[in-house]
Amino acid sequence: MKMVEIIDGGVTTPQGFKAAGVHSGVKYRSLDLGLLYSEVPASAFVGYTSNNVKAAPVQVMMKENSEKLSAVVVNSGNANALTGRRGIEDALEMKRAVASALNLDPLEVGVMSTGLIGRFLDMHKIRYGISRAAGALDSGREADGLIAQAIMTTDTIKKECAARVRLQDGTLVYIGAISKGSGMIEPHMKVLHGTTLSLITTDATLSPKFRETWQSILDDSMNMVSVDGDQSTNDTCILMANGKANGKCADDDPEFIDALRTVMTRIARTIAKDGEGATKLIEVQVTGADTKDEARKVVKTIINSPLVKAAIFGSDPNYGRIMMAVGNSGCKFSLDDVRLTIKGGDMEVPILDSGAPIFQEERAVEVVRMAMDNKEVTIMVDLGVGKESATGWGCDLTYDYVRINAEYAS
């Protein structure tokens, strides 16, 4: 077996986890409330939005900051953001309702919301949904699919992934993940501090000191996704480790860390690929940076440029827009040493070398256009000043993105 093996699965693939997704009535017809449950209290590692306008569920979670969670409830269709004291009380009531249904302490219950901002929750519907979900908890692919669907808003596809890996002590552990996210996406989540909500489960054993590693994985995966450069009020990412595999602590196990990073990267790519109105996935690889932070900043500047995103949408080989974004990043680079390459499908086309174009002929321009005319386009930039690198993911800017967001609240 490979060290890290991607398998068909979701959040209930690891031992000891159950899930449910139901229709509570917050949305007209769709599933809109999900519940995840661990048979034993799980070590919890949580990343929250860095937006200074934080939704009620984020405020509640950050204040309590429990290191153990047995359940997480998620509603979609209503973000419970900009809802004042009532929103805080509604988020607390969601925790209490789950605790009552599952015989837990409310401190063991996490809460997340996504959807329209500035609307109060109908708690009669939420309580009804929680009661239904608690009675429907199950494990297996059907349960995985139901909770993955229940947390979706403008998403067009379910986002889930699972992997198994054998640790250095011989223990076989599983990792499962679901996420939602399509618009209002440029996460900058910190562990100690249109939305991405993510739930990751594992039956590995982790201690509180894994928090620093978790932040590093977030920074290289979810925090390197951008659909539109707008950070949500609700971004939350929760990792639950319940230890049911009965192995040694995996805090420093390189196989586990690699497996978790693999799962999170796949989820991040899927979020970018399903950006609102997106037709293409953009991957940006920056090498030769002076620092890791500068490499990340250049990646984000390129991904967030409306001109770059529009060029990718139209397969327009206007590489000046990419270099404009590099220059606008404010990061250190050597124009005399910059190299730029665009890859699409089986085509990898060098465009700039030593800061000058490799080609001028119209036929060569058409080769670049052909590379860009793929569902996945990779932009590779070598800044020529150091040894640090970063990779991030975004999507093209289409007519449908404007339509979806112009009509979102109506």
Side-chain angles (χ1 to χ4, degrees):
M1 187 179 73
K2 299 176 182 177
M3 291 297 186
V4 180
E5 185 179 6
I6 298 298
I7 60 175
D8 180 37
V11 286
T12 70
T13 297
Q15 300 176 65
F17 286 97
K18 294 182 179 180
V22 300
H23 176 238
S24 70
V26 173
K27 292 181 182 175
Y28 181 56
R29 289 181 179 172
S30 307
L31 300 185
D32 55 19
L33 188 137
L35 183 60
L36 176 65
Y37 171 69
S38 175
E39 294 173 352
V40 297
S43 298
F45 306 87
V46 190
Y48 305 104
T49 181
S50 294
N51 193 317
N52 288 327
V53 177
K54 292 177 171 60
V58 175
Q59 294 182 53
V60 167
M61 289 280 288
M62 291 183 72
K63 185 176 181 179
E64 296 188 352
N65 198 29
S66 176
E67 292 187 354
K68 293 283 186 179
L69 290 177
S70 293
V72 178
V73 60
V74 188
N75 77 275
S76 62
N78 186 319
N80 193 12
L82 294 178
T83 46
R85 292 183 180 178
R86 175 172 165 179
I88 298 292
E89 181 54 39
D90 287 346
L92 289 168
E93 176 58 23
M94 289 177 70
K95 288 163 63 69
R96 289 192 291 265
V98 172
S100 177
L102 298 177
N103 195 27
L104 302 172
D105 185 320
L107 290 175
E108 296 179 72
V109 181
V111 59
M112 301 193 291
S113 298
T114 180
L116 288 171
I117 292 174
R119 307 276 178 92
F120 293 124
L121 286 169
D122 185 331
M123 291 306 295
H124 175 74
K125 293 177 179 178
I126 293 291
R127 282 188 289 267
Y128 164 72
I130 288 172
S131 177
R132 285 191 62 203
L137 286 169
D138 201 358
S139 58
R141 295 300 287 129
E142 183 177 0
D144 292 336
L146 290 173
I147 188 173
Q149 184 178 344
I151 69 175
M152 292 166 60
T153 51
T154 56
D155 306 65
T156 64
I157 57 173
K158 291 182 287 188
K159 301 171 176 70
E160 57 181 351
C161 183
R164 62 186 170 201
V165 61
R166 193 168 296 280
L167 305 185
Q168 290 188 327
D169 69 357
T171 306
L172 184 65
V173 302
Y174 290 83
I175 301 170
I178 58 169
S179 188
K180 66 82 51 186
S182 192
M184 197 190 289
I185 293 175
E186 189 188 10
H188 186 62
M189 294 180 284
K190 293 297 180 183
V191 170
L192 300 178
H193 309 285
T195 302
T196 60
L197 300 183
S198 302
L199 289 167
I200 301 95
T201 57
T202 181
D203 46 19
T205 299
L206 298 173
S207 79
K209 82 169 193 175
F210 188 71
R211 207 168 299 275
E212 185 176 341
T213 303
W214 173 233
Q215 181 67 66
S216 174
I217 293 172
L218 273 179
D219 287 342
D220 286 338
S221 57
M222 301 298 293
N223 287 348
M224 291 306 294
V225 176
S226 184
V227 168
D228 45 27
D230 288 326
Q231 186 183 171
S232 171
T233 57
N234 291 61
D235 286 335
T236 309
C237 185
I238 300 177
L239 166 65
M240 295 173 68
N242 67 10
K244 291 284 281 186
N246 296 319
K248 293 181 180 178
C249 182
D251 286 353
D252 301 313
D253 192 299
E255 307 303 339
F256 177 78
I257 293 170
D258 184 40
L260 182 58
R261 193 181 299 274
T262 298
V263 168
M264 294 298 294
T265 298
R266 289 176 72 95
I267 288 288
R269 284 175 56 89
T270 304
I271 290 172
K273 194 172 184 177
D274 192 37
E276 288 172 341
T279 65
K280 297 179 182 179
L281 171 70
I282 306 171
E283 178 170 292
V284 177
Q285 301 172 0
V286 169
T287 57
D290 190 40
T291 68
K292 186 75 167 179
D293 284 344
E294 291 218 332
R296 288 170 174 157
K297 188 174 181 180
V298 175
V299 168
K300 284 292 192 75
T301 306
I302 295 171
I303 286 175
N304 284 333
S305 166
L307 290 177
V308 172
K309 292 159 72 72
I312 298 295
F313 171 59
S315 300
D316 178 14
N318 189 343
Y319 57 86
R321 293 180 174 181
I322 299 172
M323 293 309 301
M324 169 275 300
V326 172
N328 277 340
S329 71
C331 295
K332 184 179 178 181
F333 67 95
S334 170
L335 189 57
D336 290 336
D337 297 301
V338 164
R339 293 197 300 271
L340 171 64
T341 303
I342 289 182
K343 180 180 178 181
D346 296 328
M347 303 178 69
E348 185 171 313
V349 187
I351 297 173
L352 285 179
D353 193 2
S354 301
I358 292 174
F359 59 83
Q360 293 284 336
E361 300 84 0
E362 183 62 31
R363 186 174 64 179
V365 172
E366 286 305 309
V367 172
V368 181
R369 190 187 306 276
M370 290 170 63
M372 297 174 71
D373 196 22
N374 281 273
K375 293 296 183 183
E376 297 188 10
V377 177
T378 302
I379 298 169
M380 295 176 278
V381 182
D382 186 337
L383 300 178
V385 292
K387 297 181 179 180
E388 295 296 331
S389 61
T391 300
W393 306 273
C395 61
D396 55 345
L397 179 61
T398 70
Y399 308 121
D400 277 347
Y401 176 85
V402 177
R403 178 187 59 77
I404 290 167
N405 284 281
E407 300 171 354
Y408 187 67
S410 56

